[in-house]
Amino acid sequence: MEAWRGLCLAMAMIMVSTGKVEGILSENFYNSSCPDVESIVQQAVYKKFNETFITIPGTLRLILHDCFVEGCDASIMIQSPNGDAEKDAPDNLSLEGDGFDTVIKSKAAVEAVCPGVVSCADILVIAARDVVVLAGGPYFEVELGRRDGLISQASRVTGNLPEPFFNLSQLNTMFAKNNLSQFDMIALSGAHTVGFSHCNRFANRLRNFSSTSQVDPSLNPKYAQQLIQDCPTNVDPSIMVALDNVTPQTFDNAYYQNLVGGKGLLTSDEVLFTDQASQPTVRDFASNSGDFNRAFATAMRKLGRAGIKTGNQGEIRKDCTAFNS
Ligand code: HEM
Ligand SMILES: *[C@@H]1O[C@H](CO)[C@@H](O)[C@H](O)[C@H]1NC(C)=O
Ligand SMILES: *[C@@H]1O[C@H](CO)[C@@H](O)[C@H](O)[C@H]1NC(C)=O
Ligand SMILES: *[C@@H]1O[C@H](CO)[C@@H](O)[C@H](O)[C@H]1NC(C)=O
Ligand SMILES: *[C@@H]1O[C@H](CO)[C@@H](O)[C@H](O)[C@H]1NC(C)=O
Ligand SMILES: *[C@@H]1O[C@H](CO)[C@@H](O)[C@H](O)[C@H]1NC(C)=O
Ligand SMILES: CC(=O)N[C@H]1CO[C@H](CO)[C@@H](O)[C@@H]1O
């Protein structure tokens, strides 16, 4: 087991050292201005994880919601007194407070050592990598040098995030807007190997699904029965169901094995297997965790390039939840 993990790590490192660093982002961006930034963030993330497991899914989900709306610029972090910032949009429903708290605490730790130097956008990218490793996933080098954005509006969220009822072509379109391929999209969906969903995100699959079937026929019948029990009709909004009900706290390829077995929780999960165009990749990731780990690491680095601000664009926020002025 340990040897296997070591091998995965070695493979991820090889991938990274031969991978091209695009544009102005660089793995060494803070070499002289804040050389210990990555270990400082890592310590803050570990400390937060020690308090609650939700640190992992909460932080990992934030990276998608930040990068797909206005780019990876920490716009998701802004706290608006009017309740109209990105994080207030209905699509952000349930972005765990612990994800925000992880970034805020990491920023505080970094500011104590190198004030005014490291962007919140970069801190989120480092923290998202660290939680993957904490859950047993692959280590990969991250590119740094993003600046924090000056815009955060709830109205910009609608239409820019994937929805749980999306089919393959809708998913592909949404990811293509962020320069991510179908292969990247399938790999990134593997983030659903940790964390939870509210019942209302998939309740349509359990009852009165269509005129011919009460339950979504792509659901494994036993799994469907379990979900019907977990999610009563009078949906209690506090009920959460694991996205990967086999190993909900481990970053592994069980998510893809679940899809093969009809145990994908969201329509957008299961469609990756039911659509013939994406099925071969799902089968590959289900049977080869090395392929998944490499694809996930590569796709995370690509996701981290979406809509970035660099140079003298934007700012280095002092407080991740507020613009400097
Ligand atoms: C492929 C399209 C995707 C769709 C449609 C989607 C949709 C969703 C939905 C509906 C939830 C449940 C939210 C809730 O009810 O609380 C969720 C949770 C989650 N998503 Fe995604 N997601 C997608 C891709 C991604 C990506 C690319 C990542 C990160 C790289 C990600 C990370 C997560 C995580 C970690 C959770 C669990 C959050 C928690 O437990 O607090 N998702 N996603
Ligand atoms: C940054 O530091 C690393 C490791 O110490 C070194 O390999 C690299 O050449 C440095 N890069 C720059 C741009 O100074
Ligand atoms: C983790 O939490 C426990 C108490 O819950 C504490 O004793 C321990 O020192 C913490 N470890 C770290 C690394 O923060
Ligand atoms: C996916 O959904 C879109 C929008 O509803 C629809 O136009 C398209 O035909 C669907 N594609 C498939 C393969 O079902
Ligand atoms: C089931 O769906 C049909 C068609 O959408 C609708 O007319 C009917 O009221 C629904 N039944 C229940 C019990 O929700
Ligand atoms: C996608 O890539 C193109 C070409 O490099 C770039 O101009 C565009 O800004 C990128 N889109 C995003 C959302 O990053
Ligand atoms: C964590 C957070 O701020 N979530 C918000 C997401 O959107 C909903 C609905 O607008 C808000 O109620 C939440 O507070």
Side-chain angles (χ1 to χ4, degrees):
M1 191 59 194
E2 273 309 302
W4 172 234
R5 290 266 303 126
L7 185 65
C8 290
L9 200 93
M11 289 191 303
M13 298 294 284
I14 289 162
M15 179 284 298
V16 161
S17 60
T18 54
K20 194 169 75 167
V21 174
E22 299 218 340
I24 203 157
L25 295 181
S26 143
E27 288 165 9
N28 306 312
F29 190 82
Y30 298 108
N31 249 22
S32 48
S33 58
C34 193
D36 295 330
V37 60
E38 294 195 42
S39 60
I40 296 168
V41 171
Q42 187 194 49
Q43 270 179 34
V45 171
Y46 278 31
K47 203 168 157 212
K48 175 76 192 168
F49 167 70
N50 194 25
E51 290 164 18
T52 171
F53 173 80
I54 300 298
T55 301
I56 290 176
T59 306
L60 190 51
R61 188 164 183 234
L62 271 189
I63 194 83
L64 171 75
H65 285 239
D66 186 34
C67 294
F68 270 33
V69 184
E70 298 291 349
C72 310
D73 65 353
S75 45
I76 189 72
M77 295 296 302
I78 294 294
Q79 193 107 51
S80 163
N82 314 321
D84 60 356
E86 257 177 49
K87 78 189 275 285
D88 300 310
D91 268 344
N92 285 328
L93 190 70
S94 87
L95 278 179
E96 295 292 342
D98 289 314
F100 289 106
D101 195 42
T102 301
V103 177
I104 291 165
K105 288 192 164 137
S106 299
K107 173 70 169 177
V110 171
E111 287 297 292
V113 179
C114 344
V117 168
V118 182
S119 67
C120 298
D122 281 344
I123 288 174
L124 172 54
V125 166
I126 298 168
R129 182 271 313 276
D130 291 344
V131 295
V132 167
V133 175
L134 265 178
Y139 177 84
F140 51 95
E141 295 289 345
V142 291
E143 299 169 348
L144 302 170
R146 294 165 196 79
R147 308 264 299 174
D148 295 325
L150 301 173
I151 298 169
S152 175
Q153 283 170 10
S155 60
R156 306 238 187 170
V157 175
T158 318
N160 286 316
L161 285 173
E163 297 290 345
F165 51 81
F166 272 9
N167 64 31
L168 185 68
S169 66
Q170 292 171 304
L171 289 169
N172 281 337
T173 303
M174 183 68 56
F175 279 70
K177 281 204 286 185
N178 293 285
N179 292 334
L180 295 160
S181 66
Q182 174 178 295
F183 186 76
D184 297 326
M185 182 274 291
I186 299 168
L188 288 170
S189 295
H192 290 174
T193 178
V194 290
F196 305 89
S197 174
H198 289 87
C199 294
N200 64 346
R201 299 309 193 101
F202 55 86
N204 69 308
R205 307 184 68 197
L206 306 181
R207 297 178 180 92
N208 207 14
F209 177 70
S210 70
S211 55
T212 52
S213 177
Q214 279 294 308
V215 174
D216 183 340
S218 69
L219 273 173
N220 170 299
K222 268 196 182 148
Y223 181 57
Q225 283 314 307
Q226 185 196 318
L227 293 176
I228 288 168
Q229 278 191 4
D230 292 346
C231 296
T233 35
N234 280 335
V235 173
D236 172 349
S238 71
I239 298 180
M240 305 277 273
V241 173
L243 286 155
D244 165 5
N245 86 332
V246 177
T247 53
Q249 304 211 337
T250 310
F251 193 100
D252 58 13
N253 65 341
Y255 167 80
Y256 299 99
Q257 294 164 359
N258 293 343
L259 301 187
V260 173
K263 296 176 186 170
L265 186 60
L266 308 175
T267 299
S268 57
D269 293 320
E270 196 56 52
V271 76
L272 303 179
F273 179 74
T274 54
D275 195 310
Q276 298 302 315
S278 45
Q279 190 180 96
T281 305
V282 170
R283 285 193 188 278
D284 175 47
F285 291 169
S287 58
N288 189 330
S289 62
D291 284 357
F292 164 53
N293 284 344
R294 266 188 304 279
F296 183 80
T298 302
M300 282 290 277
R301 282 162 61 96
K302 284 173 77 172
L303 173 62
R305 294 174 198 144
I308 50 166
K309 283 94 194 158
T310 55
N312 53 18
Q313 295 171 310
E315 62 184 7
I316 302 297
R317 242 176 256 158
K318 290 192 196 76
D319 169 355
C320 292
T321 67
F323 302 122
N324 286 346
S325 55

